[in-house]
Short mmCIF file of all heavy atoms in Angstrom, two decimals:
data_model
loop_
_atom_site.label_atom_id
_atom_site.label_comp_id
_atom_site.label_asym_id
_atom_site.label_seq_id
_atom_site.Cartn_x
_atom_site.Cartn_y
_atom_site.Cartn_z
N ASP A 121 -0.56 -0.20 1.83
CA ASP A 121 -0.60 -1.57 2.39
C ASP A 121 -0.33 -1.56 3.92
O ASP A 121 0.74 -1.18 4.38
CB ASP A 121 0.56 -2.31 1.64
CG ASP A 121 0.31 -3.89 1.93
OD1 ASP A 121 -0.20 -4.25 2.86
OD2 ASP A 121 1.00 -4.70 1.19
N LEU A 122 -1.49 -1.95 4.61
CA LEU A 122 -1.35 -2.04 6.00
C LEU A 122 -0.60 -3.21 6.60
O LEU A 122 -0.33 -3.40 7.76
CB LEU A 122 -2.73 -1.83 6.72
CG LEU A 122 -3.69 -0.70 6.12
CD1 LEU A 122 -5.01 -0.98 6.78
CD2 LEU A 122 -3.00 0.61 6.59
N GLY A 123 -0.24 -4.12 5.64
CA GLY A 123 0.51 -5.24 6.10
C GLY A 123 -0.34 -6.48 6.56
O GLY A 123 -1.37 -6.69 5.99
N ILE A 124 0.28 -7.28 7.48
CA ILE A 124 -0.39 -8.43 7.93
C ILE A 124 -1.01 -8.25 9.39
O ILE A 124 -0.69 -7.29 9.98
CB ILE A 124 0.49 -9.66 7.96
CG1 ILE A 124 1.95 -9.34 8.77
CG2 ILE A 124 0.86 -10.08 6.56
CD1 ILE A 124 2.75 -10.51 8.87
N ASP A 125 -1.82 -9.16 9.87
CA ASP A 125 -2.25 -9.13 11.19
C ASP A 125 -2.98 -7.79 11.52
O ASP A 125 -2.66 -7.26 12.48
CB ASP A 125 -0.97 -9.41 12.12
CG ASP A 125 -1.53 -9.86 13.50
OD1 ASP A 125 -2.52 -10.29 13.80
OD2 ASP A 125 -0.63 -9.51 14.46
N VAL A 126 -3.84 -7.32 10.56
CA VAL A 126 -4.46 -5.99 10.64
C VAL A 126 -5.81 -6.13 11.46
O VAL A 126 -6.64 -6.85 10.95
CB VAL A 126 -4.61 -5.41 9.30
CG1 VAL A 126 -5.24 -4.02 9.55
CG2 VAL A 126 -3.28 -5.26 8.70
N SER A 127 -5.96 -5.61 12.62
CA SER A 127 -7.13 -5.65 13.23
C SER A 127 -8.25 -4.82 12.69
O SER A 127 -7.95 -3.81 11.90
CB SER A 127 -7.06 -5.20 14.80
OG SER A 127 -6.64 -3.85 14.74
N PRO A 128 -9.57 -5.08 12.99
CA PRO A 128 -10.62 -4.17 12.51
C PRO A 128 -10.39 -2.76 12.95
O PRO A 128 -10.61 -1.76 12.27
CB PRO A 128 -11.87 -4.78 13.22
CG PRO A 128 -11.62 -6.18 13.35
CD PRO A 128 -10.04 -6.37 13.76
N GLU A 129 -9.90 -2.54 14.22
CA GLU A 129 -9.66 -1.24 14.65
C GLU A 129 -8.62 -0.54 13.78
O GLU A 129 -8.73 0.72 13.53
CB GLU A 129 -9.08 -1.21 16.10
CG GLU A 129 -10.12 -1.74 17.08
CD GLU A 129 -10.32 -3.21 17.17
OE1 GLU A 129 -9.53 -3.88 16.66
OE2 GLU A 129 -11.35 -3.51 17.68
N LYS A 130 -7.59 -1.25 13.35
CA LYS A 130 -6.65 -0.60 12.52
C LYS A 130 -7.14 -0.31 11.11
O LYS A 130 -6.79 0.77 10.63
CB LYS A 130 -5.35 -1.59 12.37
CG LYS A 130 -4.06 -0.94 12.05
CD LYS A 130 -2.89 -1.73 12.21
CE LYS A 130 -1.67 -1.12 11.37
NZ LYS A 130 -0.57 -2.03 11.15
N PHE A 131 -7.95 -1.15 10.60
CA PHE A 131 -8.70 -0.96 9.24
C PHE A 131 -9.40 0.39 9.43
O PHE A 131 -9.35 1.37 8.53
CB PHE A 131 -9.59 -2.02 8.94
CG PHE A 131 -8.84 -3.11 8.01
CD1 PHE A 131 -8.63 -4.27 8.53
CD2 PHE A 131 -8.37 -2.77 6.65
CE1 PHE A 131 -7.94 -5.33 7.70
CE2 PHE A 131 -7.65 -3.75 6.03
CZ PHE A 131 -7.57 -5.02 6.45
N VAL A 132 -10.27 0.54 10.39
CA VAL A 132 -11.16 1.73 10.60
C VAL A 132 -10.33 2.88 10.81
O VAL A 132 -10.56 4.01 10.17
CB VAL A 132 -12.16 1.38 11.68
CG1 VAL A 132 -12.94 2.62 11.93
CG2 VAL A 132 -13.13 0.30 11.31
N ASP A 133 -9.18 2.86 11.64
CA ASP A 133 -8.35 4.11 11.83
C ASP A 133 -7.73 4.42 10.48
O ASP A 133 -7.60 5.65 10.34
CB ASP A 133 -7.15 3.67 12.84
CG ASP A 133 -7.76 3.55 14.29
OD1 ASP A 133 -8.79 4.07 14.53
OD2 ASP A 133 -6.93 3.09 15.13
N ALA A 134 -7.39 3.49 9.67
CA ALA A 134 -6.81 3.80 8.40
C ALA A 134 -7.85 4.47 7.48
O ALA A 134 -7.40 5.39 6.71
CB ALA A 134 -6.14 2.54 7.68
N VAL A 135 -9.04 4.02 7.52
CA VAL A 135 -10.01 4.67 6.73
C VAL A 135 -10.19 6.25 7.16
O VAL A 135 -10.25 7.02 6.40
CB VAL A 135 -11.47 3.99 6.83
CG1 VAL A 135 -12.60 4.81 6.19
CG2 VAL A 135 -11.32 2.63 6.24
N ARG A 136 -10.18 6.30 8.49
CA ARG A 136 -10.24 7.76 9.02
C ARG A 136 -9.07 8.68 8.59
O ARG A 136 -9.25 9.66 8.19
CB ARG A 136 -10.17 7.60 10.66
CG ARG A 136 -11.48 8.20 11.16
CD ARG A 136 -11.38 8.32 12.75
NE ARG A 136 -12.56 7.57 13.19
CZ ARG A 136 -12.55 6.40 13.90
NH1 ARG A 136 -11.29 5.81 14.09
NH2 ARG A 136 -13.59 5.80 14.29
N GLU A 137 -7.93 7.97 8.59
CA GLU A 137 -6.63 8.71 8.46
C GLU A 137 -6.48 9.02 6.84
O GLU A 137 -6.24 10.16 6.44
CB GLU A 137 -5.39 8.01 8.89
CG GLU A 137 -4.19 8.75 8.63
CD GLU A 137 -2.86 7.95 9.31
OE1 GLU A 137 -3.24 6.95 10.06
OE2 GLU A 137 -1.81 8.35 8.91
N TYR A 138 -6.71 8.07 6.06
CA TYR A 138 -6.16 8.11 4.60
C TYR A 138 -7.46 8.45 3.69
O TYR A 138 -7.38 8.76 2.60
CB TYR A 138 -5.65 6.77 4.03
CG TYR A 138 -4.39 6.36 4.76
CD1 TYR A 138 -4.21 5.34 5.62
CD2 TYR A 138 -3.25 7.27 4.65
CE1 TYR A 138 -3.16 5.01 6.34
CE2 TYR A 138 -1.97 6.91 5.29
CZ TYR A 138 -2.00 5.70 6.24
OH TYR A 138 -0.77 5.61 6.87
N ARG A 139 -8.69 8.24 4.22
CA ARG A 139 -10.00 8.56 3.35
C ARG A 139 -9.92 7.76 2.07
O ARG A 139 -10.08 8.53 0.95
CB ARG A 139 -10.12 10.05 3.23
CG ARG A 139 -10.23 10.84 4.43
CD ARG A 139 -11.75 10.74 4.87
NE ARG A 139 -11.69 11.25 6.26
CZ ARG A 139 -12.90 11.11 6.97
NH1 ARG A 139 -13.85 10.62 6.55
NH2 ARG A 139 -12.85 11.54 8.27
N PRO A 140 -9.69 6.51 2.10
CA PRO A 140 -9.56 5.84 0.75
C PRO A 140 -11.02 5.58 0.17
O PRO A 140 -11.95 5.59 1.01
CB PRO A 140 -8.97 4.39 1.19
CG PRO A 140 -9.48 4.33 2.59
CD PRO A 140 -9.58 5.66 3.15
N GLN A 141 -11.08 5.42 -1.14
CA GLN A 141 -12.31 4.94 -1.72
C GLN A 141 -12.63 3.55 -1.54
O GLN A 141 -13.77 3.07 -1.59
CB GLN A 141 -12.41 5.32 -3.27
CG GLN A 141 -12.45 6.85 -3.56
CD GLN A 141 -11.12 7.64 -3.38
OE1 GLN A 141 -10.03 6.93 -3.49
NE2 GLN A 141 -11.28 8.85 -2.97
N ILE A 142 -11.65 2.70 -1.38
CA ILE A 142 -11.74 1.23 -1.30
C ILE A 142 -10.96 0.74 -0.18
O ILE A 142 -9.75 1.08 0.11
CB ILE A 142 -11.35 0.62 -2.56
CG1 ILE A 142 -12.34 1.03 -3.74
CG2 ILE A 142 -11.42 -0.85 -2.51
CD1 ILE A 142 -11.92 0.43 -5.09
N MET A 143 -11.59 -0.15 0.67
CA MET A 143 -10.88 -0.93 1.67
C MET A 143 -10.86 -2.39 1.23
O MET A 143 -12.01 -3.05 1.09
CB MET A 143 -11.65 -0.72 2.93
CG MET A 143 -11.09 -1.48 4.16
SD MET A 143 -11.98 -0.91 5.61
CE MET A 143 -12.53 -2.56 6.28
#
Side-chain angles (χ1 to χ4, degrees):
D121 190 342
L122 304 175
I124 51 175
D125 197 22
V126 181
S127 64
E129 291 76 16
K130 200 168 165 196
F131 269 111
V132 171
D133 285 348
V135 169
R136 244 186 233 110
E137 183 179 349
Y138 300 111
R139 301 275 162 190
Q141 285 76 31
I142 295 179
M143 171 170 132

